[in-house]
Amino acid sequence: MANVVKTISDLRARVQTWRQNGDQIALVPTMGALHDGHLSLIQLGKAKADKAIISIFVNPTQFNQAEDLQHYPRQELQDIEMASAAGADLIYMPDITTMYPTGHATKVMVEHISSALCGHARPGHFDGVATIVAKLLLQSLPDIAIFGEKDFQQLLIIKTMVRDLNIPVSIIGAPLIRDTDGLALSSRNTRLNANEREIAKRLPVIMQDCAAAINSGTSFSEALAAGRAALDDAGFDQVDYFEIRSSDTLEAMSSPGKTARLFAAAFIGDTRLIDNILLEETKP
Ligand code: AMP
């Protein structure tokens, strides 16, 4: 079983020992309730570095609703077992007072790229993400840090932050991992009941249909309108966005191009699902 550390000094002591041995170190930040998507990041970390640290911390500052935070799934012992089996060398599980001691007053905000999509739907969310990731990177000082393309906007924001703040780490994106029914793996999927799960698995199908329509010449606006209608018909309660934007800049696109990516966020009850696909990869 991998060692678990809870304090910054224990984390740094371990990292220092590895550094003295010349090891390269990967960090995988998570909020726990681990699934195969998270484990793929650990495996990528181990493929690219000698040691992999996984951090598990449910970060309150990135939640917009107290309810969502309160109901966020927590399964610490199972997470430790799963992370260890996937090859993690160290599990960093700080508590709230370690991450946000009394008097904590600093926030990291990455402008522009944070304002579209999830940033628009969840004000302040990405400030919370950028702040906690900056702290985790500075606490552990890894060589690389791995983030999933499932949260594509988050990955771009972290890359921008690291560049702008000159944090000496390489940010690496990892492919989105799906369940057997096509639904993007997410810790929040455990909150779906059987009926909601049936609705949820329509999301990637509707996205693929939209991509297929575009690949066969339908305009973006027509294909997106049909996709939104299909989400309503499938039983989604609220669609935050269903849009095509550039994978490089997140700027809106209205006609085909190599970077065009379809982004979606929709609620079933109070569970919010997100997904994205690169249109180029859906071409037959
Ligand atoms: P979370 O615990 O949801 O904050 O996610 C921690 C990391 O795992 C983030 O970099 C996510 O993008 C990544 N991740 C979550 N779900 C998936 C997935 N289905 N495939 C790939 N990476 C994922």
Side-chain angles (χ1 to χ4, degrees):
M1 207 67 85
N3 271 330
V4 178
V5 291
K6 294 188 96 51
T7 66
I8 301 168
S9 54
D10 285 349
L11 171 69
R12 286 192 170 148
R14 178 56 64 102
V15 168
Q16 200 181 353
T17 310
W18 287 338
R19 287 240 170 274
Q20 280 161 357
N21 292 336
D23 288 334
Q24 293 278 301
I25 298 158
L27 174 71
V28 177
T30 79
M31 296 205 300
L34 301 184
H35 51 63
D36 284 351
H38 297 117
L39 302 186
S40 75
L41 307 190
I42 298 174
Q43 284 150 2
L44 186 59
K46 285 293 281 193
K48 292 194 171 286
D50 303 299
K51 303 289 183 189
I53 305 169
I54 179 172
S55 64
I56 299 179
F57 178 68
V58 181
N59 175 34
T61 65
Q62 71 187 72
F63 285 81
N64 307 77
Q65 287 157 342
E67 285 246 311
D68 189 27
L69 172 61
Q70 198 187 337
H71 293 136
Y72 199 82
R74 287 169 172 84
Q75 46 173 55
E76 289 191 1
L77 289 178
Q78 191 178 322
D79 283 350
I80 293 169
E81 279 170 20
M82 288 171 75
S84 305
D89 297 284
L90 188 67
I91 303 174
Y92 178 43
M93 294 177 112
D95 58 27
I96 185 81
T97 52
T98 298
M99 296 314 273
Y100 296 110
T102 306
H104 188 281
T106 302
K107 218 190 247 189
V108 179
M109 185 196 291
V110 182
E111 288 189 315
H112 310 305
I113 203 157
S114 296
S115 52
L117 302 174
C118 287
H120 181 72
R122 306 180 65 190
H125 165 69
F126 285 124
D127 301 348
V129 170
T131 303
I132 201 70
V133 172
K135 289 172 70 76
L136 289 166
L137 291 173
L138 294 170
Q139 287 170 359
S140 55
L141 290 176
D143 299 282
I144 62 174
I146 321 262
F147 293 83
E149 290 188 350
K150 154 93 184 338
D151 301 275
F152 198 87
Q153 185 176 15
Q154 170 175 286
L155 170 63
L156 292 188
I157 289 168
I158 301 300
K159 282 185 173 167
T160 305
M161 176 187 78
V162 158
R163 183 200 65 195
D164 292 353
L165 295 182
N166 312 106
I167 302 177
V169 60
S170 298
I171 302 300
I172 296 181
L176 190 162
I177 306 294
R178 297 179 181 280
D179 215 332
T180 45
D181 61 4
L183 182 63
L185 287 174
S186 164
S187 303
R188 288 189 175 85
N189 291 353
T190 56
R191 303 203 314 219
L192 299 169
N193 64 32
N195 185 36
E196 291 171 332
R197 175 82 199 201
E198 284 302 303
I199 299 170
K201 72 184 194 193
R202 295 285 304 147
L203 178 61
V205 176
I206 291 166
M207 293 176 74
Q208 288 293 338
D209 288 350
C210 177
I214 287 167
N215 289 337
S216 56
T218 307
S219 70
F220 279 13
S221 56
E222 201 180 317
L224 291 171
R228 274 183 175 266
L231 289 171
D232 285 344
D233 288 348
F236 285 90
D237 292 302
Q238 181 191 317
V239 179
D240 274 352
Y241 54 79
F242 193 78
E243 292 174 20
I244 297 171
R245 289 179 178 260
S246 157
S247 303
D248 293 337
T249 62
L250 285 194
E251 267 158 38
M253 293 177 74
S254 53
S255 57
K258 280 220 174 315
T259 66
R261 187 175 288 269
L262 173 60
F263 292 90
F267 278 89
I268 304 172
D270 58 8
T271 304
R272 186 172 185 272
L273 304 176
I274 62 170
D275 200 340
N276 70 86
I277 50 174
L278 184 66
L279 295 185
E280 191 73 12
E281 281 176 1
T282 65
K283 286 193 173 157

